[in-house]
């Protein structure tokens, strides 16, 4: 096995030892990519899939081997363009179909083929808000009722905030209801990763803004709307410090309610009150993370790497 030699685990609170072994090593599953994102474990085929955004591809790691799953993944246009064109966040919808945030095509889409026979055929779920094109959807999660929540920062636009094709003058957090209605829930400077608490009473959101590198916590109303935004944790003081590459980005919540959130210096692990329990220092700017179905394995996308660590 190939381990990442400069990675380590830093423990802040003994509570986390129920889940995490401080001596665990980070294994390299795949490397040599441009910028990895969107890790997703497919239980049925025992496969990890992840995106390489600049290369407009989704890759898979199966039986220890890395290969292309689909290409193109996020931009299907004919005109050559620069920037972050590929798919970003990935998830499965309640029917077990692959849903992706497509940067280049500026939409939320679903792959129109089975998981074990992947093809670059996509169905648009939503691509505009009140007639104006979305910026570039970034990350996505479904609630138990089947409503789809996603964030829409400018990172997939070729010139980011200054792109002449940008139609919305804000960066939104949205909910696409099961009846097709699109709700704007909130807007912040750089909305990114998002997740629910296990009981769906709370909603967590990452802001990948170097000037306000924070995570927010919301209360979730009965109608699925989020309200009472509060500061969950502020990591702005770590931005730019040696050993702390990266910004608040993707996150996942363990069934215990523990939050695993990529941020400056790797993956921060918090309790539900926002107290830091540990940090998995990857040595890279770390974009996103995922659990295996049994929560015994934790996957991370970190710059050109895909990593995993075994949990207790």
């Amino acid at each position: 096995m190939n381990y990442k030699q400069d990675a380590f685990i830093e423990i802040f609170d003994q509570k986390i030892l129920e889940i995490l072994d401080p001596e665990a090593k980070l294994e390299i599953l795949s490397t040599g990519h441009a910028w990895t994102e969107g890790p997703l474990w497919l239980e049925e085929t025992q496969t990890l899939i992840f995106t390489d955004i600049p290369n407009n591809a989704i890759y898979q790691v199966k039986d220890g081997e890395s290969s292309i799953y689909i290409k193109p993944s996020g931009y299907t246009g004919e005109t050559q363009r620069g920037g972050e064109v590929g798919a970003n966040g990935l998830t499965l919808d309640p029917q077990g179909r692959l849903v992706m945030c497509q940067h280049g095509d500026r939409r939320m889409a679903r792959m129109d083929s089975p998981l074990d026979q992947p093809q670059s055929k996509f169905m648009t779920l939503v691509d505009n808000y009140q007639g104006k094109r979305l910026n570039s959807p970034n990350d996505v999660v479904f609630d138990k009722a089947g409503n789809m929540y996603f964030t829409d920062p400018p990172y997939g636009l070729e010139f980011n905030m200054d792109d002449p094709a940008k139609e919305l003058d804000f960066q939104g957090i949205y909910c696409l209801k099961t009846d097709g209605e699109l709700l704007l829930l909130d807007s912040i400077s750089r909305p990114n990763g998002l997740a629910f608490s296990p009981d769906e009473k709370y909603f967590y959101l990452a802001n990948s803004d170097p000037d306000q590198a924070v995570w927010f916590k919301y209360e979730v109303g009965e109608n699925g709307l989020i309200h009472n935004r509060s500061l969950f944790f502020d990591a702005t003081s770590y931005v730019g410090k040696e050993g702390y590459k990266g910004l608040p980005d993707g996150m996942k919540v363990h069934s215990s309610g523990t939050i695993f959130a990529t941020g400056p210096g790797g993956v921060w692990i918090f309790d539900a009150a926002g107290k830091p329990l540990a940090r998995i220092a990857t040595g890279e700017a770390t974009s996103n993370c995922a659990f295996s179905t049994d929560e015994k394995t934790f996957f991370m996308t970190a710059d050109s790497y895909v990593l995993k660590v075994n949990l207790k």
Side-chain angles (χ1 to χ4, degrees):
M1 287 182 188
N2 192 8
Y3 295 110
K4 198 158 191 304
Q5 299 302 322
D6 60 345
F8 61 92
I9 294 172
E10 187 178 15
I11 301 294
F12 306 133
D13 189 303
Q14 300 295 305
K15 274 193 302 192
I16 196 60
L17 300 182
E18 295 173 17
I19 298 175
L20 187 64
D21 177 2
E23 301 301 317
K25 301 285 187 219
L26 272 64
E27 184 184 339
I28 298 171
L29 295 179
S30 188
T31 189
H33 304 282
W35 177 253
T36 58
E37 249 286 4
L40 177 67
W41 177 251
L42 305 180
E43 178 69 15
E44 204 172 294
T45 56
Q46 296 289 294
T47 304
L48 180 75
I49 60 173
F50 61 93
T51 59
D52 183 336
I53 302 178
N55 285 323
N56 199 15
I58 296 177
Y59 285 79
Q60 62 182 349
V61 176
K62 186 172 171 66
D63 302 325
E65 296 295 320
S66 179
S67 60
I68 285 182
Y69 184 73
I70 55 168
K71 184 181 173 92
S73 68
Y75 181 57
T76 56
E78 299 294 320
T79 309
Q80 282 291 313
R81 54 152 286 190
E84 305 280 301
V85 293
N88 193 322
L90 306 175
T91 194
L92 299 179
D93 71 7
Q95 289 74 43
R97 300 170 298 191
L98 182 63
V99 168
M100 63 202 68
C101 303
Q102 291 190 315
H103 269 351
D105 285 346
R106 299 171 66 179
R107 63 180 175 174
M108 293 301 309
R110 186 173 72 225
M111 184 174 75
D112 197 16
S113 62
L115 294 176
D116 58 355
Q117 299 165 48
Q119 295 180 54
S120 291
K121 289 166 52 183
F122 308 107
M123 187 180 144
T124 301
L125 300 176
V126 63
D127 61 6
N128 72 91
Y129 175 68
Q130 295 184 348
K132 294 185 175 180
R133 288 191 74 186
L134 297 173
N135 298 316
S136 57
N138 191 285
D139 212 349
V140 56
V141 66
F142 282 86
D143 68 8
K144 288 169 185 156
N147 302 302
M148 182 179 77
Y149 293 71
F150 67 95
T151 53
D152 189 39
Y155 299 129
L157 297 172
E158 191 168 359
F159 303 105
N160 262 268
M161 290 291 285
D162 301 319
D163 199 300
K166 191 178 194 301
E167 296 183 15
L168 295 165
D169 60 2
F170 59 88
Q171 288 66 247
I173 301 104
Y174 297 94
C175 174
L176 182 66
K177 304 286 280 184
T178 54
D179 64 5
E181 183 186 9
L182 183 65
L183 304 175
L184 175 64
L185 303 178
D186 199 1
S187 63
I188 58 174
S189 59
R190 297 290 185 278
N192 204 311
L194 68 175
F196 285 98
S197 62
D199 59 8
E200 294 191 354
K201 288 183 178 175
Y202 299 100
F203 179 84
Y204 305 101
L205 180 72
N207 192 43
S208 53
D209 183 341
D211 296 323
Q212 192 189 22
V214 304
W215 291 273
F216 291 116
K217 182 179 183 176
Y218 297 78
E219 294 175 25
V220 182
E222 287 180 19
N223 54 4
L225 298 178
I226 57 176
H227 55 95
N228 290 352
R229 180 174 82 198
S230 61
L231 181 66
F232 184 68
F233 188 82
D234 188 343
T236 311
S237 63
Y238 293 94
V239 175
K241 281 176 66 173
E242 191 174 344
Y244 286 88
K245 294 177 190 169
L247 293 164
D249 205 324
M251 69 173 93
K252 298 295 184 292
V253 179
H254 188 269
S255 59
S256 64
T258 309
I259 296 101
F260 286 65
T262 64
V267 180
W268 289 74
I269 304 174
F270 302 103
D271 69 11
K275 181 185 178 186
L277 305 177
R279 178 172 70 99
I280 303 173
T282 62
E284 309 295 333
T286 306
S287 63
N288 214 330
C289 56
F291 294 103
S292 60
T293 307
D294 61 12
E295 295 185 331
K296 289 181 180 174
T297 311
F298 181 66
F299 303 100
M300 294 151 277
T301 46
D303 202 323
S304 62
Y305 293 89
V306 180
L307 307 169
K308 81 164 193 180
V309 65
N310 294 325
L311 303 178
K312 290 184 179 176

